[in-house]
Amino acid sequence: MIILAIETSCDETSVAIIEGKGGLKNPSFEILSNIVLSQVKIHKKWGGVVPSLAKREHQANLIPIFKKALIKSELLKPTTVVGSQNRQPLSVLAILNREPELLEQFLKFIPTIKIPKIDVIAVTVGPGLEPALWVGVNFAKALATVWNKPIVAVNHMEGHIVAVLLQNGGISNFQFPISKKNQNSKSKNKNKIQFPAIALLVSGGHTELVLIKKWGDYKIVGQTRDDAAGECFDKTARMLELPYPGGPQIAKQAENFKKYPLTFRMGGWTRREMEREAFNIKLPRPMIDSKDYDFSFSGLKTAVLYMLRDMKERHVNIGDFTPMICNEIQQAIVDVLISKTIRATKEFGAKSIILGGGVAANKELRAQMKKDVKDKLSSAVLYLPPQKLTTDNAAMIAAAGYLRVIKRKTAVTNWQSLKLKAQGNLEL
Ligand code: KG4
Ligand code: ZN
């Protein structure tokens, strides 16, 4: 099955075309194209994503990105019968009524190409920023209208879960055949994710532990009560005057800090002095010992705020300490995420652990999770998505769309359906 997917839930405009095979039992994918355009430069100066700007950028960029995806997957064929696709011009005008710039480009470009050989259009309907989501949803509706193709509505978080399936045509980033049994196993199922599985989803808007009984069967067993892990990275980075998005910035500073020799001098301090004497920087690990699987990161953010205020009052040059503070912020977040994931894996008897979402790009989280899974769990296997597919992209939406079509969990709607809509707070 060939799936064309559209993702516009936040600040990445993305279109992908992938081929899915193997059904729910043994899903595997080949990415034919996955074009992602980040709007980060636009939102950077505001310190976070501005929904109206995100909408404007998606509108302006969807057609060029879509065209690139068709070219890359070799599905772009010019048509000689110009206008043959304008079967529903009036409905397209109505569908893209609120996206005039997209409409104009749509009407110029779509009639010039042949209907590509795709089976279904997948689109993210939520969760995310509603104005941004609507652009993708309306684009999908308009395409489905002129091409007469079915649409499948996809939950963005399911996309983050199934990103783990998107490598080398299927699962291959299989990290730990931990148990001896697994290590010696030559069975062909070696790379197949075994259920139940626990997924840790960590993005800018979500922090969730999800129990997966099989593909398409998800139960949230824990989630953040306030800020998401990515949001905590972003907000604390802002306090340290680091640019948006903060996660990669904090990670970079922390990595530098770890590289410094103990005698390395930053400002007036050696690293040893900083660690031993200066400001014994120790941030809280909120809810790490709570019996449930919920998270809370707003307390950590406030602790950073107070710590910085205190340092300023003492006339300390915060810039000198930024790498050290970043290291501690990252470690506090990583400690909580790993501890809860390991406990949930034990309690639910999960055989597999899946990591997903933008924060899953974090190298320390990946490395420390690998180590702890190996040391503390005897029989669970950790699956990590390829680093570049942890942040938002349409390939993961296409993969989730494939599983949904196979499962028919969400009925595949045809283009006349009026039910398809953006749902900012959609749950898994
Ligand atoms: O999944 P995603 O691309 O978008 C949402 O659905 O929210 O995640 C974006 C989040 C941002 O908060 C960003 O700071 C964080 O992922 N992030 C990271 C790293 N790369 C992205 N956080 C920590 N370390 C990273 N390397
Ligand atoms: Zn995301």
Side-chain angles (χ1 to χ4, degrees):
M1 183 188 300
I2 309 267
I3 308 107
L4 180 145
I6 300 155
E7 155 66 40
T8 63
S9 69
C10 193
D11 61 343
E12 260 94 26
T13 313
S14 182
V15 176
I17 299 167
I18 77 171
E19 181 165 16
K21 288 187 190 144
L24 283 180
K25 287 241 159 74
N26 205 7
S28 76
F29 300 97
E30 186 183 350
I31 300 180
L32 306 177
S33 61
N34 181 31
I35 312 294
V36 184
L37 179 73
S38 167
Q39 304 173 359
V40 79
K41 281 199 185 123
I42 313 252
H43 299 287
K44 218 171 196 162
K45 53 176 168 289
W46 306 100
V49 182
V50 183
S52 58
L53 291 182
K55 179 187 159 111
R56 188 192 74 187
E57 290 302 304
H58 289 313
Q59 256 209 83
N61 297 319
L62 253 178
I63 292 283
I65 297 290
F66 167 74
K67 185 175 174 184
K68 273 194 186 165
L70 287 175
I71 294 172
K72 181 90 199 294
S73 55
E74 296 179 6
L75 288 172
L76 184 73
K77 308 265 185 310
T79 179
T80 42
V81 198
V82 175
S84 65
Q85 293 184 45
N86 280 347
R87 279 193 295 265
Q88 306 288 338
L90 286 178
S91 358
V92 170
L93 294 185
I95 293 167
L96 293 176
N97 175 29
R98 284 163 190 262
E99 289 85 17
E101 192 175 349
L102 175 59
L103 174 67
E104 198 187 321
Q105 294 190 45
F106 188 98
L107 294 177
K108 264 195 205 141
F109 177 62
I110 303 295
T112 67
I113 59 167
K114 279 191 187 157
I115 301 177
K117 290 202 168 80
I118 58 154
D119 299 295
V120 59
I121 298 167
V123 63
T124 307
V125 293
L129 305 169
E130 279 196 10
L133 286 162
W134 270 117
V135 183
V137 169
N138 287 337
F139 181 52
K141 279 190 188 181
L143 268 187
T145 301
V146 293
W147 288 350
N148 205 14
K149 298 279 184 193
I151 298 182
V152 59
V154 172
N155 183 308
H156 181 82
M157 299 315 288
E158 184 173 10
H160 278 307
I161 296 176
V162 302
V164 82
L165 293 169
L166 288 171
Q167 27 210 344
N168 303 336
I171 303 164
S172 67
N173 201 2
F174 151 75
Q175 299 285 342
F176 284 111
I178 291 160
S179 69
K180 289 228 162 60
K181 201 172 116 220
N182 272 348
Q183 254 162 17
N184 300 330
S185 158
K186 295 222 161 52
S187 91
K188 64 175 188 256
N189 280 337
K190 193 167 83 161
N191 283 357
K192 204 172 133 183
I193 291 179
Q194 303 288 324
F195 297 111
I198 283 283
L200 171 68
L201 301 183
V202 270
S203 69
H206 290 80
T207 301
E208 289 170 352
L209 276 168
V210 183
L211 177 64
I212 309 172
K213 297 221 174 98
K214 50 185 191 281
W215 292 122
D217 182 345
Y218 310 111
K219 185 175 172 222
I220 297 175
V221 294
Q223 59 190 314
T224 184
R225 295 184 181 176
D226 39 58
D227 293 356
E231 197 177 352
C232 186
F233 272 113
D234 296 339
K235 288 183 175 165
T236 53
R238 201 171 170 183
M239 292 175 198
L240 290 162
E241 295 175 14
L242 297 171
Y244 176 85
Q249 297 289 332
I250 290 199
K252 201 163 86 190
Q253 294 271 346
E255 196 178 343
N256 285 343
F257 182 73
K258 281 193 199 311
K259 280 190 206 149
Y260 295 153
L262 285 174
T263 50
F264 184 86
R265 205 163 273 282
M266 287 168 273
W269 310 81
T270 64
R271 185 182 147 188
R272 182 184 282 129
E273 281 164 356
M274 277 190 182
E275 282 184 351
R276 292 226 186 115
E277 293 152 40
F279 294 88
N280 191 12
I281 293 171
K282 188 78 188 156
L283 291 167
R285 270 68 177 152
M287 290 183 75
I288 197 161
D289 293 319
S290 73
K291 293 214 169 70
D292 52 24
Y293 299 101
D294 282 349
F295 301 89
S296 163
F297 289 106
S298 75
L300 177 57
K301 178 184 70 185
T302 316
V304 174
L305 184 74
Y306 289 156
M307 181 180 72
L308 295 178
R309 191 182 292 170
D310 180 50
M311 289 171 94
K312 270 184 201 146
E313 275 169 12
R314 294 207 242 164
H315 305 290
V316 173
N317 181 4
I318 290 172
D320 293 344
F321 288 86
T322 298
M324 186 184 195
I325 298 169
C326 288
N327 188 48
E328 177 63 9
I329 293 171
Q330 175 175 267
Q331 196 55 51
I333 296 173
V334 166
D335 282 349
V336 178
L337 294 176
I338 294 183
S339 159
K340 296 250 165 173
T341 307
I342 300 269
R343 254 191 331 104
T345 307
K346 283 185 186 156
E347 158 140 359
F348 294 101
K351 296 178 182 151
S352 314
I353 301 172
I354 297 169
L355 229 60
V359 180
N362 186 279
K363 280 191 204 153
E364 283 300 317
L365 176 62
R366 294 168 83 96
Q368 294 182 33
M369 183 77 93
K370 271 187 203 173
K371 185 174 179 307
D372 277 22
V373 168
K374 194 176 172 195
D375 294 348
K376 296 182 185 160
L377 297 170
S378 56
S379 60
V381 180
L382 174 65
Y383 295 90
L384 298 174
Q387 214 157 351
K388 68 172 198 277
L389 294 178
T390 55
T391 44
D392 293 349
N393 66 86
M396 70 185 196
I397 301 305
Y402 171 76
L403 298 180
R404 292 235 156 191
V405 172
I406 301 283
K407 200 177 160 69
R408 303 257 169 206
K409 194 171 172 182
T410 306
V412 176
T413 42
N414 66 19
W415 59 267
Q416 286 108 334
S417 169
L418 295 173
K419 284 189 196 139
L420 199 72
K421 61 173 200 255
Q423 292 163 266
N425 296 320
L426 186 66
E427 290 201 351
L428 253 181

